Amino acid sequence: MTFENQPLRSLNGFRMTGRDVPDTGSVTLVSPSAIGAINRGRVLQALYDNGPTSRADLARMAGVNRTTVTGIVQPMIKEKLLVEGKAGRPAAQGGKPARPLYFNPDAPMLGAVLLLPGSIQTCLVSLTGEISAHRRAVFDPNGDVDAFVATMKETLGKTLSEAKQPPFGIGVAAGGMIDSDNGVIVAVNLAPVLSGLPLVGILRDHFGLQVVIDHHPRALLVGDRWFGPGRGQQNFAAIYTGEVLGGAFYMDGKVYRGLAGSGGELGHTIVQIDGLRCNCGKRGCWETLGTLSWLRAQAAEAGIDDPLDIDCARLVRLAREGSEAAMDLLDRYARNIAIGIANLQQTLSLNAYILHGDAATGGTMIADLVRRHVEDFVMMRPNQEISILVNGKGEGHTALRGAAGLVVSDHLKLVI
Ligand SMILES: [Zn+2]
């Protein structure tokens, strides 16, 4: 094979991707000034993953000496990003008692927005994940774009005005197809008013703050990673079910985004050849079997009362009360969710899946059913464990924290 036939070369320590490689090839090196930012990011990430930690423990975890760690953390204490907690018990060797470091609850907050068809939620999130100044507004999904932008600016403006000091930035979690590189909402089937909207530029110009946007399921994943059951994990996926089905991956310690953030359109992976017609126009998408519209239709067919009001939480309740029809439908819903997860497991071997949205309202009962079906579908390896978790915090809560997490990742140069 000639050199020209090998445009993607991989050299140890050099990051080279299809997009980064011009005709002549190029390498991305870390400049000495960037190393400081990276070290700072790694220390902050260790604090997120491990909770309050002393300098000595940070040094031990990083394999460096205490002086090096002090050199990294001292400026962040001065900036009031980190604080030293109360001293613990004296060290066994009789040294000075360790004072754990953690995020300063009084550090600048993060602005967060959750934008779904017809609804806006805004809030402030502290670096430790506490939510405040939460506001909601509605908009007409088929209405006028200027009216939407005015509502968005007003709602977010009121939230931001409650911050004691200027926030680090604003993170937006949005439903639909998102171009996270260019800050544009590409298309939203259920809210055409948002399609083509360059929301990041609009908010940045209006508020004068750094703004980042990402796909709603990816914000759930980031929320799981920073503040939820994904904390400290290296591999997992977040799966959202509701009126739509979506997901996102955390692989080998990084969020997978794909080209311009287009990765993770899991709802439209085909699980049934010539299956039911999907909102996207194709047939047999995972979304046709794992969403509330499927559940409502099946509940009506099974003779369950008020089928239009069915959701996973109610189905679990009815099943616990002894309804065989509800138990049967719950099991089939779990199986439909499991088939998509099994395909992911066979492809990526992530082993951990966190359910959000409607499925998460079913708690451990649906999680156990999904896990059993996934184990039936996949070829299990010896000693392999697949965990299906639910994030019980509520999707709005996790998505808002995730939106804030996007800013944390970007502003603090964390690896995610
Ligand atoms: Zn589809």
Side-chain angles (χ1 to χ4, degrees):
M1 197 182 278
T2 64
F3 177 70
E4 284 74 19
N5 288 338
Q6 298 173 299
L8 296 178
R9 289 163 295 141
S10 175
L11 305 176
N12 274 347
F14 294 157
R15 183 173 63 87
M16 302 183 75
T17 69
R19 273 187 295 165
D20 295 333
V21 183
D23 293 341
T24 52
S26 74
V27 292
T28 307
L29 298 175
V30 178
S31 70
S33 63
I35 287 173
I38 290 171
N39 278 339
R40 185 179 143 110
R42 289 190 179 164
V43 165
L44 293 174
Q45 189 140 26
L47 289 176
Y48 263 108
D49 291 349
N50 299 295
T53 310
S54 69
R55 284 182 176 82
D57 284 341
L58 281 171
R60 193 175 40 75
M61 284 188 269
V64 296
N65 62 36
R66 258 183 77 143
T67 315
T68 305
V69 166
T70 298
I72 297 167
V73 300
Q74 211 54 39
M76 293 195 274
I77 294 173
K78 225 170 146 195
E79 283 170 46
K80 297 196 164 48
L81 189 62
L82 301 180
V83 277
E84 279 181 300
K86 288 205 180 83
R89 271 190 265 152
Q93 302 86 340
K96 267 205 302 186
R99 297 183 65 187
L101 285 166
Y102 202 52
F103 293 92
N104 185 348
D106 297 325
M109 309 278 276
L110 308 149
V113 177
L114 173 57
L115 178 58
L116 295 173
S119 93
I120 299 169
Q121 291 186 54
T122 61
C123 71
L124 296 169
V125 181
S126 73
L127 285 174
T128 43
E130 283 85 28
I131 286 181
S132 59
H134 185 228
R135 287 177 183 271
R136 286 172 194 272
V138 293
F139 67 93
D140 179 358
N142 299 296
D144 174 60
V145 68
D146 292 339
F148 163 77
V149 170
T151 306
M152 168 63 89
K153 284 178 180 171
E154 189 194 341
T155 314
L156 182 55
K158 283 181 181 163
T159 283
L160 297 179
S161 71
E162 292 187 41
K164 291 194 190 97
Q165 45 194 321
F168 278 126
I170 299 163
V172 182
M177 191 184 287
I178 309 298
D179 178 345
S180 54
D181 287 1
N182 294 301
V184 175
I185 300 174
V186 179
V188 187
N189 291 339
L190 302 177
V193 65
L194 301 177
S195 295
L197 192 70
L199 187 62
V200 164
I202 291 171
L203 297 181
R204 194 178 46 217
D205 292 349
H206 185 72
F207 293 107
L209 292 169
Q210 171 204 14
V211 182
V212 285
I213 191 168
D214 218 328
H215 190 207
H216 168 232
R218 214 170 287 129
L220 293 173
L221 179 100
V222 173
D224 284 336
R225 173 65 185 81
W226 288 133
F227 306 111
R231 182 177 279 211
Q233 299 291 320
Q234 291 301 299
N235 291 287
F236 69 95
I239 308 292
Y240 172 85
T241 78
E243 300 298 339
V244 295
L245 192 155
F249 316 118
Y250 195 67
M251 297 195 293
D252 297 333
K254 289 193 85 167
V255 177
Y256 177 76
R257 287 196 160 77
L259 186 64
S262 60
E265 289 288 344
L266 293 179
H268 305 286
T269 53
I270 311 286
V271 294
Q272 197 179 33
I273 295 282
D274 300 328
L276 299 167
R277 177 77 71 185
C278 180
N279 280 332
C280 73
K282 297 187 178 49
R283 283 187 177 278
C285 296
W286 189 13
E287 186 165 298
T288 63
L289 298 178
T291 43
L292 284 166
S293 53
W294 179 88
L295 203 57
R296 291 183 198 116
Q298 295 295 314
E301 218 167 273
I304 291 174
D305 287 347
D306 302 323
L308 292 183
D309 287 331
I310 197 72
D311 60 16
C312 195
R314 197 173 135 228
L315 209 49
V316 164
R317 220 165 35 242
L318 292 172
R320 287 217 161 103
E321 286 164 13
S323 162
E324 277 181 30
M327 189 60 229
D328 173 68
L329 180 54
L330 183 67
D331 189 58
R332 287 190 293 131
Y333 185 46
R335 191 165 182 259
N336 289 353
I337 294 169
I339 190 162
I341 293 179
N343 288 337
L344 284 177
Q345 176 60 25
Q346 290 292 103
T347 311
L348 302 170
S349 200
L350 299 172
N351 291 323
Y353 301 86
I354 302 175
L355 303 179
H356 291 271
D358 180 58
T361 68
T364 51
M365 190 158 175
I366 185 111
D368 283 346
L369 290 170
V370 170
R371 181 181 48 76
R372 269 185 251 161
H373 284 298
V374 171
E375 287 173 356
D376 278 349
F377 283 130
V378 302
M379 294 184 293
M380 296 290 284
R381 296 163 68 95
N383 302 322
Q384 183 179 16
E385 259 187 53
I386 292 178
S387 58
I388 307 290
L389 305 163
V390 287
N391 187 328
K393 278 285 187 187
E395 62 181 276
H397 191 97
T398 302
L400 284 165
R401 281 172 145 195
L406 297 170
V407 187
V408 175
S409 313
D410 207 57
H411 182 84
L412 302 179
K413 303 279 180 285
L414 302 192
V415 182
I416 197 166

